[in-house]
Amino acid sequence: MIAMNDTILTGLQLTGSLHLGNYLGAVLPMVDIQKAGHTVYMYVPDIHGLTADVDYSSFYERTVEFLRLYAAAGLDLTSDDLIPFRGSHVPAHSELAWILTCFTGMGELERMTQYKDKSSRANTHISSGLLTYPTLMAADILLYGAKYVPVGEDQQQHLELTRVLARRLNNRFGECLVEPADHEANLAFFETENAVRIRSLSDPTSKMSKSVSDPKGTIGLLDDPEDARKKVMSAVTDDLGSISFDFVNQPGISNLIQIKALLEGKKIADVAAEYVGHTQYGQFKSDVADAVVDFLSNLQAEFARINPDSVTKELHTGEEKANAAANETLYRLQRAIGLRQ
């Protein structure tokens, strides 16, 4: 059972549109941890999005859209324990990121798998912000004394670097930063079987991504439900003639099992057990598609009822709280380093 009164930080970048993988891997855990009575800093990392070549003019509208989707998914934005905010409206994020960058080695940043992957795919321009992104993420976590951070499989390295930096500065300047729990402790805290990483329906060896063009493999939360059904029915699987949760040998089937289990609130093993002995995939895919269609239809109906003005009001309230908490941590570290008296 999740313990009470732990501080949690979570958030999603504004690049692209929210998709099913974002919901299952990040939004759904947010709903669960809020219900458990925690203080949740729900970060909209708009400044992170500057590392990608995107339409910056849409950031504001996308922020409101994201928060409306969060509310539609079950998050209570009016709760005192849920603090929504944008990084661009809390200057301490940028300042702490710079301090952490100065205590981080080039080799540590160049070894980050995400940096190597994204820079290898860049056509010409490779932003230096892509290299230093992990120290900005570390600042996000450390400013609020967050003990638990629900990160995906691809963010584990960044979480570990955050822990390293917290120890590094604490050892040198005294206990001024809270070191977050490691990945295994996070999985235990959120009572998760494995780190959730929903894969592309067209390429189950890659994750479903809002920042990569993959129209056939990605189900957006605002997609037409019947279009989503078609994507599930045409999802890449295999010719093994069995339905098992085995990401090594059956990544496509395993991805669909995971989606169905999470949408229906079931254990992965229980969903897999429903299809023992099935040698055809048609009925299985149809069942997964039904679960996706039901989810999208309900979510979108609720989304339409969320007033954008009410979301903006809660965002401004959250940013006042976030600034107060972040500045306290930043000033404590600045005094420890010698930047302030």
Side-chain angles (χ1 to χ4, degrees):
M1 189 70 180
I2 293 177
M4 295 290 286
N5 299 323
D6 286 302
T7 298
I8 295 126
L9 177 119
T10 187
L12 290 170
Q13 283 196 42
L14 291 177
T15 50
S17 298
L18 290 178
H19 57 65
L20 185 63
N22 298 139
Y23 170 79
L24 296 175
V27 181
L28 187 58
M30 279 192 242
V31 175
D32 291 339
I33 60 183
Q34 184 185 36
K35 289 178 180 177
H38 301 280
T39 298
V40 181
Y41 285 89
M42 195 173 69
Y43 184 33
V44 181
D46 49 358
I47 53 177
H48 291 237
L50 298 175
T51 62
D53 186 13
V54 297
D55 180 8
Y56 306 123
S57 65
S58 68
F59 274 11
Y60 181 83
E61 290 76 12
R62 197 175 296 279
T63 296
V64 175
E65 177 186 291
F66 277 26
L67 291 176
R68 287 176 67 200
L69 282 168
Y70 292 156
L75 282 166
D76 180 5
L77 299 183
T78 67
S79 170
D80 289 339
D81 294 327
L82 186 72
I83 305 168
F85 66 98
R86 292 161 289 186
S88 61
H89 286 58
V90 184
H93 282 262
S94 300
E95 188 161 353
L96 180 56
W98 171 250
I99 293 174
L100 295 177
T101 299
C102 293
F103 289 91
T104 306
M106 282 289 292
E108 290 176 301
L109 295 175
E110 290 172 339
R111 284 195 295 271
M112 294 291 114
T113 302
Q114 256 204 354
Y115 167 72
K116 290 190 289 187
D117 177 53
K118 290 184 177 181
S119 61
S120 68
R121 288 191 277 110
N123 293 327
T124 54
H125 175 70
I126 300 175
S127 167
S128 59
L130 188 61
L131 178 67
T132 59
Y133 173 95
T135 53
L136 178 57
M137 180 175 168
D140 303 337
I141 297 168
L142 297 174
L143 279 173
Y144 304 98
K147 186 174 182 183
Y148 295 105
V149 187
V151 300
E153 181 182 330
D154 57 336
Q155 296 283 348
Q156 291 178 33
Q157 272 190 314
H158 297 170
L159 177 61
E160 188 53 38
L161 179 64
T162 301
R163 288 165 40 79
V164 168
L165 291 174
R167 286 196 301 271
R168 184 173 297 164
L169 270 69
N170 286 342
N171 290 338
R172 184 166 177 179
F173 301 109
E175 294 295 321
C176 47
L177 297 170
V178 175
E179 181 181 334
D182 64 17
H183 179 63
E184 293 302 319
N186 269 280
L187 289 180
F189 178 80
F190 293 111
E191 299 175 341
T192 304
E193 295 178 81
N194 299 285
V196 175
R197 190 185 188 196
I198 303 302
R199 312 297 177 90
S200 164
L201 298 178
S202 61
D203 178 12
T205 63
S206 301
K207 73 172 185 176
M208 189 176 289
S209 175
K210 56 186 169 66
S211 59
V212 176
S213 178
D214 183 21
K216 293 183 179 180
T218 300
I219 295 176
L221 295 185
L222 296 178
D223 281 358
D224 181 280
E226 289 306 315
D227 287 344
R229 181 190 299 278
K230 293 175 183 176
K231 291 180 182 181
V232 173
M233 295 305 296
S234 61
V236 171
T237 52
D238 54 61
D239 58 0
L240 296 182
S242 66
I243 299 175
S244 304
F245 187 73
D246 178 357
F247 264 114
V248 174
N249 297 304
Q250 291 191 284
I253 291 293
S254 300
N255 191 41
L256 295 177
I257 290 174
Q258 183 176 224
I259 289 171
K260 188 173 189 293
L262 290 168
L263 287 178
E264 295 179 346
K266 297 178 180 179
K267 290 185 177 298
I268 286 173
D270 292 340
V271 171
E274 295 174 18
Y275 298 94
V276 171
H278 286 234
T279 58
Q280 302 294 320
Y281 297 158
Q283 184 59 53
F284 168 63
K285 282 187 172 183
S286 180
D287 293 344
V288 177
D290 286 344
V292 170
V293 168
D294 288 346
F295 162 71
L296 289 180
S297 299
N298 293 332
L299 179 78
Q300 291 171 15
E302 188 61 28
F303 174 80
R305 289 192 284 269
I306 306 296
N307 187 325
D309 291 338
S310 66
V311 166
T312 302
K313 178 182 176 181
E314 297 305 328
L315 186 60
H316 291 160
T317 299
E319 284 163 356
E320 291 180 5
K321 296 178 181 178
N323 269 294
N327 287 339
E328 182 178 339
T329 300
L330 178 62
Y331 293 164
R332 183 171 63 248
L333 179 60
Q334 287 173 328
R335 287 193 297 268
I337 291 176
L339 299 176
R340 291 178 181 266
Q341 290 187 337

